[in-house]
């Protein structure tokens, strides 16, 4: 087995195909020379994927990222990156080359990326394909907050329930911003929108690779946590609530703060998505009744 592994490493070093492996924290653990050359990565460097993308975006090299706000692009992209087992897409580089990129993700969050140069293929229809990809991205993204929308996050609930049929546990958390109507009434809808974006941004920064976080409507958000037991889920969500307590999102009101409540339900093989959602929502209601700014499990 070691000999086969050594042969694979030797072959990957000689190919022009881009090959890279990221761990569950999205840190680069292996990249062949072709990949490092395209993305300007030093031989001994193991950057986090967001840091690599930010650095190349600022220097206008590597992947072309068409946005005026990198953080919004990153939040939107990470809301979908690594959430499904496999995806494939085109990507273009600042040097004019085009690549066909595939991402395969294991249950532990490790990701294999392979990209082939398709620059020499006919460019006819490329703009149409780009427009299609942008439309697909928009259909899975919440416009206000930039995180996944109801359609995408509920599809991940279905994936988690399918895995539960084979003995893989998982949990669903429902978040609701406390007294949000009061925030809108007292400070205006613009402040309410700022709070929603702040909440999505701060929670998203603490979401693991294999988990999926999204807005399902109003001030309600879901966090899908595959292969996670209730105790771990509670610990994860409690850390998130702590992050929110310390947020001060309104520069014009520096003393303003807000909180949120959460309910958690563990999936069982007989669950439907509506069953799981209902139990998590009941746990959220219990958290609200017991004083808000806390998490309760069904």
């Amino acid at each position: 087995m070691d000999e086969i592994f050594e042969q694979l490493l030797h072959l990957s070093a000689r190919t022009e195909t881009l090959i890279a492996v990221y761990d569950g924290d999205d840190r680069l653990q292996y990249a062949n020379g072709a990949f490092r050359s395209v993305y300007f990565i030093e031989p001994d460097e193991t950057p986090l994927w967001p840091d690599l993308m930010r650095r190349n975006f600022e220097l206008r090299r590597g992947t072309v990222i068409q946005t005026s706000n990198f953080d919004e692009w990153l939040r939107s992209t990470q809301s979908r990156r690594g959430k499904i087992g496999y995806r494939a897409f085109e990507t273009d580089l600042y040097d004019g080359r085009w690549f066909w990129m595939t991402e395969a993700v294991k249950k532990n969050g490790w990701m294999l990326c392979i990209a082939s140069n398709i620059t020499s293929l006919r460019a006819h229809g490329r703009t149409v394909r780009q427009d299609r990809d942008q439309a697909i991205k928009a259909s899975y993204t919440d416009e206000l907050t930039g995180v996944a929308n109801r359609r995408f996050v509920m599809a991940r609930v279905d994936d988690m329930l399918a895995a539960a049929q084979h003995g893989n546990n998982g949990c669903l958390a429902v978040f609701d911003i406390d007294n949000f109507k009061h925030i809108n009434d007292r400070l205006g809808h613009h402040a309410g929108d700022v709070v929603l974006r702040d909440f999505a941004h701060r929670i998203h920064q603490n979401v693991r690779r294999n988990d999926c976080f999204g807005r399902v409507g109003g001030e309600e958000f879901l966090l899908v946590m595959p292969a996670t037991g209730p105790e771990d889920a509670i610990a994860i969500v409690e850390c998130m609530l702590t992050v929110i307590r310390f947020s001060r999102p309104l520069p014009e009101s520096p003393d303003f703060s807000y909180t949120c409540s959460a309910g958690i339900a563990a999936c069982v093989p007989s669950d439907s998505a509506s069953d799981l959602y209902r139990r998590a929502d009941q746990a959220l209601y219990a958290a609200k009744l017991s004083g808000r700014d806390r998490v309760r499990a069904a």
Side-chain angles (χ1 to χ4, degrees), residues 1-295:
M1 184 63 69
D2 289 342
E3 182 179 350
I4 294 175
F5 183 69
E6 289 295 329
Q7 290 293 333
L8 288 173
L9 287 179
H10 179 69
L11 290 171
S12 70
R14 295 173 62 87
T15 182
E16 294 183 1
T17 300
L18 278 56
I19 302 174
V21 176
Y22 291 89
D23 66 16
D25 295 322
D26 228 355
R27 183 175 294 281
L28 185 68
Q29 293 295 337
Y30 170 78
N32 67 349
F35 190 96
R36 290 182 179 273
S37 175
V38 163
Y39 290 103
F40 299 88
I41 306 169
E42 296 297 326
D44 59 346
E45 193 179 7
T46 59
L48 288 165
W49 179 82
D51 296 338
L52 175 62
M53 292 295 103
R54 184 184 299 276
R55 181 177 70 190
N56 284 346
F57 172 76
E58 292 173 351
L59 295 173
R60 295 183 64 80
R61 64 188 189 186
T63 297
V64 175
I65 300 175
Q66 297 179 341
T67 183
S68 59
N69 187 319
F70 177 82
D71 289 318
E72 288 183 0
W73 175 89
L74 181 65
R75 183 161 58 251
S76 176
T77 302
Q78 286 184 307
S79 291
R80 297 177 309 281
R81 176 176 164 82
K83 310 307 181 188
I84 56 178
Y86 176 85
R87 71 170 184 149
F89 53 93
E90 291 182 29
T91 185
D92 57 324
L93 307 183
Y94 276 107
D95 63 14
R97 287 182 291 171
W98 283 76
F99 282 83
W100 180 251
M101 177 80 74
T102 65
E103 296 175 348
V105 186
K106 291 185 64 178
K107 291 180 181 178
N108 63 1
W110 282 60
M111 176 188 288
L112 171 65
C113 300
I114 299 176
S116 302
N117 192 333
I118 58 171
T119 309
S120 61
L121 300 180
R122 286 176 58 188
H124 178 69
R126 182 174 290 168
T127 300
V128 174
R129 294 194 301 273
Q130 282 185 304
D131 291 343
R132 175 206 61 197
D133 290 344
Q134 288 296 321
I136 292 173
K137 175 182 176 181
S139 73
Y140 289 134
T141 303
D142 178 64
E143 185 176 1
L144 176 65
T145 63
V147 298
N149 63 10
R150 184 185 186 93
R151 176 189 298 180
F152 188 87
V153 74
M154 291 306 295
R156 305 292 74 76
V157 172
D158 290 336
D159 292 343
M160 181 172 66
L161 291 174
Q165 300 292 328
H166 304 286
N168 295 313
N169 59 354
C171 287
L172 176 68
V174 181
F175 294 85
D176 188 88
I177 297 174
D178 295 328
N179 300 310
F180 186 72
K181 183 178 184 302
H182 179 66
I183 294 172
N184 271 336
D185 291 344
R186 183 166 61 94
L187 299 173
H189 288 281
H190 171 72
D193 288 349
V194 171
V195 169
L196 288 170
R197 286 193 290 265
D198 179 78
F199 178 80
H201 171 68
R202 293 183 185 279
I203 296 296
H204 178 262
Q205 286 184 316
N206 293 275
V207 174
R208 302 175 301 178
R209 159 70 70 72
N210 277 17
D211 297 346
C212 182
F213 173 69
R215 183 184 178 207
V216 293
E219 66 271 27
E220 190 170 290
F221 296 76
L222 294 187
L223 176 64
V224 185
M225 296 173 279
T228 306
E231 291 185 1
D232 289 337
I234 290 171
I236 290 168
V237 171
E238 284 182 338
C239 289
M240 292 175 171
L241 299 192
T242 299
V243 169
I244 297 303
R245 289 185 197 112
F246 286 96
S247 178
R248 301 293 182 270
L250 302 178
E252 65 275 17
S253 302
D255 294 331
F256 170 83
S257 63
Y258 69 101
T259 61
C260 69
S261 302
I264 292 175
C267 61
V268 295
S270 60
D271 267 336
S272 66
S274 59
D275 292 335
L276 183 63
Y277 197 155
R278 175 180 50 79
R279 292 205 314 278
D281 200 48
Q282 289 173 343
L284 170 65
Y285 185 65
K288 295 280 190 180
L289 284 180
S290 59
R292 299 186 177 90
D293 189 22
R294 62 199 64 200
V295 57

